[in-house]
Amino acid sequence: MIADKKIAEQFHKRNLKYGSLSLAFIVVVIAIVVIVNLFAIKYDKKFDFTNNKVFTLSAETKMILKDLEDEITIIVLEKAGSEHSTTARIVEKYQDASGNITVQYIDPELNPNVLYQYGDDSNLTFGSIIVENGGKVKTLSPIDLVSLSEDQSKVKEIATESKITSAILSVSTDGERIIYTTVGHGEGLLNHEVTTALENENYTIEKINLLTDSLEASAESILMIHSLKKDISQEEAVKIKDYMNAGGKLLVIDDLYDADRSNYENLLKLNGININRSIAFENEMTHRLNSDKYLMIPALGEHQIVDSLKASNYKAIVAYGQPIEVLKVKKDDLLISPLLTSSKESYSKYPDVIKEKRNFDQEAMDPTGPFHLGAAISKKENAVEKPSMVVYSSSFFLNENLLKSSNNANLDLFVNSVNWLQEGSEQMLIRPKDVSSSPLVMNNFQQIIISIMSIFFLPIIIAIPGFYYWYRRQRA
């Protein structure tokens, strides 16, 4: 009886001990949950674990919002109760980043007047965004906020941030941002993808005849000379020179032609550069796209125009580039920064030699690299560097095939060049966020290893703590 009583007492004490431990554990867990919830309510901290930080604003957007002075209202047309959609979550980041931005959610079914106040039924619907600054309004449709895969079956990229930031700039910028393209000299044309990208950055593209139209320098305008087939006149050269002396910005995209373009070339020399009329080739395998030596992957320079490409590890691709020479004798106020440079293993060949010998391989007489294939030119005014000119020695980097091969790095490079000329360092292209997923591909060995770990090791790892506590209770 005494032994039974002692056993019962020991059993009772052990139950009391483990019961107390269980109770203490439950209390601790509840306390932790309460504390975590209180902390979450107070600080409302959210983390973005998406691969491309879909719900995190880029450094470019944050810089624009930091300098924002106007009061901007962003209106999201959402069904009541849908304020936690992907679009809404991104829009909220704008309000968090700037005290000058207010976000509103309006259900157009409950408030149909909004459709007539800002547009009509054809361009405003659920998912549309309205960006307003006083009387200036920019509307974005749901299709503007995404880009689809080639078969149009799924969303490939989310462009919400790039579109909203562009809209904020549009409604907060005084004056229209215009790119004037010269005509009358057999100029090349920008393809649809390039013009769309510029329009998305709020640029208007207009043709200008330098013989008949006036050209005045302004902070909002850029003059573009695109692949001249014949020379400009002396009168046109003087007009461009006066335009640049007054602070006008010039974007030059050149190509190799046989025509005499001495007035045009003298204009380039006044800005400290000369384009050598030859084609650059690349011997270094790591600096070309494939076995074709004229398809070059040049090194990126040290400049704001290419900083975003370098940060994202993007590479530009150039075809039929011509060497750009920085003149030894030039104006003291000019600062010339290479943007694209071939390797020291590159060489160039003159078109006459190519036609005569039908040979693209390097010969002893050929000039050797490295060669600059793109450059940015600034002018110093009172110790301040101001954008003046950007030049590329080949238009083929804007070819649709090369845009695709470069993963649109070439397009980023071009738009960044325009933005730098127009804004200085304040605005660089904000890329849409890629949300397409790639399947996980494993070979047979990897599949066997994963299977073994799932069948054997995971159950053992889970069983070890249970066995340990069972063993301790048996020893107690």
Side-chain angles (χ1 to χ4, degrees), residues 125-403:
T125 182
F126 287 112
S128 294
I129 293 177
I130 302 164
V131 180
E132 181 183 20
N133 176 19
K136 301 179 70 174
V137 175
K138 184 81 171 180
T139 60
L140 303 171
S141 69
I143 198 64
D144 292 330
L145 306 179
V146 297
S147 59
L148 303 177
S149 57
E150 291 185 4
D151 60 4
Q152 306 292 301
S153 62
K154 60 183 179 180
V155 174
K156 180 182 178 182
E157 294 176 324
I158 293 180
T160 306
E161 181 193 351
S162 61
K163 296 292 186 179
I164 292 177
T165 301
S166 178
I168 290 173
L169 286 169
S170 177
V171 300
S172 59
T173 302
D174 294 328
E176 188 177 16
R177 309 200 316 174
I178 302 175
I179 299 174
Y180 293 106
T181 60
T182 60
V183 295
H185 316 89
E187 284 87 348
L189 298 175
L190 296 174
N191 64 45
H192 175 72
E193 191 168 356
V194 175
T195 55
T196 300
L198 291 173
E199 289 168 358
N200 288 340
E201 294 290 301
N202 302 309
Y203 289 101
T204 299
I205 302 173
E206 294 186 4
K207 296 179 180 179
I208 184 171
N209 188 319
L210 294 175
L211 288 175
T212 59
D213 300 330
S214 61
L215 177 63
E216 296 181 2
S218 71
E220 292 79 27
S221 67
I222 296 170
L223 178 66
M224 181 170 70
I225 301 176
H226 182 199
S227 188
L228 296 184
K229 289 184 175 67
K230 59 181 182 180
D231 200 11
I232 58 176
S233 67
Q234 289 186 356
E235 291 79 7
E236 291 172 307
V238 169
K239 184 175 286 189
I240 296 173
K241 180 182 175 182
D242 292 341
Y243 164 80
M244 296 192 71
N245 287 336
K249 278 88 67 174
L250 181 64
L251 175 61
V252 173
I253 304 173
D254 193 69
D255 280 311
L256 181 62
Y257 292 110
D258 292 334
D260 176 19
R261 302 182 296 177
S262 55
N263 290 325
Y264 164 70
E265 291 172 357
N266 287 334
L267 181 67
L268 298 180
K269 291 176 182 178
L270 285 174
N271 287 277
I273 61 169
N274 179 52
I275 298 179
N276 293 323
R277 301 303 168 189
S278 60
I279 299 175
F281 296 90
E282 183 61 76
N283 274 327
E284 178 60 52
M285 285 293 296
T286 58
H287 282 275
R288 67 185 197 221
L289 184 62
N290 49 38
S291 59
D292 295 321
K293 295 182 178 181
Y294 64 87
L295 285 173
M296 310 171 74
I297 303 177
L300 301 176
E302 298 294 330
H303 197 275
Q304 294 152 350
I305 290 175
V306 296
D307 281 349
S308 62
L309 275 71
K310 294 168 71 174
S312 302
N313 200 29
Y314 289 124
K315 304 293 185 183
I317 302 173
V318 176
Y320 304 109
Q322 305 170 83
I324 299 174
E325 176 190 1
V326 178
L327 301 179
K328 294 180 180 179
V329 179
K330 61 182 185 349
K331 296 178 181 178
D332 294 336
D333 63 343
L334 293 177
L335 178 63
I336 301 175
S337 303
L339 299 175
L340 305 172
T341 304
S342 66
S343 79
K344 63 180 180 180
E345 300 298 326
S346 60
Y347 61 96
S348 68
K349 300 186 79 70
Y350 294 100
D352 291 342
V353 175
I354 295 174
K355 289 179 182 178
E356 179 184 346
K357 297 186 177 182
R358 301 288 179 182
N359 180 24
F360 296 96
D361 294 328
Q362 185 174 10
E363 298 176 290
M365 67 186 73
D366 295 331
T368 56
F371 303 120
H372 302 319
L373 307 174
I377 303 173
S378 303
K379 286 184 178 180
K380 291 182 181 179
E381 295 182 14
N382 299 322
V384 177
E385 296 177 13
K386 293 190 175 182
S388 178
M389 179 177 175
V390 174
V391 58
Y392 293 102
S393 63
S394 171
S395 69
F396 283 90
F397 84 106
L398 295 178
N399 173 278
E400 291 181 358
N401 291 329
L402 289 191
L403 292 181

Side-chain angles (χ1 to χ4, degrees), residues 75 106 111-120 124 130 132 137:
I75 301 172
I106 297 179
N111 300 276
N113 289 336
V114 71
L115 299 178
Y116 303 102
Q117 181 181 353
Y118 295 105
D120 53 54
L124 288 177
I130 302 164
E132 181 183 20
V137 175

Side-chain angles (χ1 to χ4, degrees), residues 66-114:
K66 181 181 178 182
D67 297 333
L68 192 63
E69 297 180 355
D70 297 342
E71 297 290 332
I72 306 294
T73 300
I74 301 177
I75 301 172
V76 184
L77 301 186
E78 291 274 15
K79 209 175 222 349
S82 303
E83 293 83 0
H84 300 290
S85 65
T86 297
T87 298
R89 290 174 63 187
I90 296 173
V91 169
E92 288 292 338
K93 298 296 181 181
Y94 283 83
Q95 188 168 252
D96 295 340
S98 174
N100 289 347
I101 289 183
T102 302
V103 176
Q104 298 178 5
Y105 297 94
I106 297 179
D107 186 335
E109 286 186 348
L110 301 177
N111 300 276
N113 289 336
V114 71

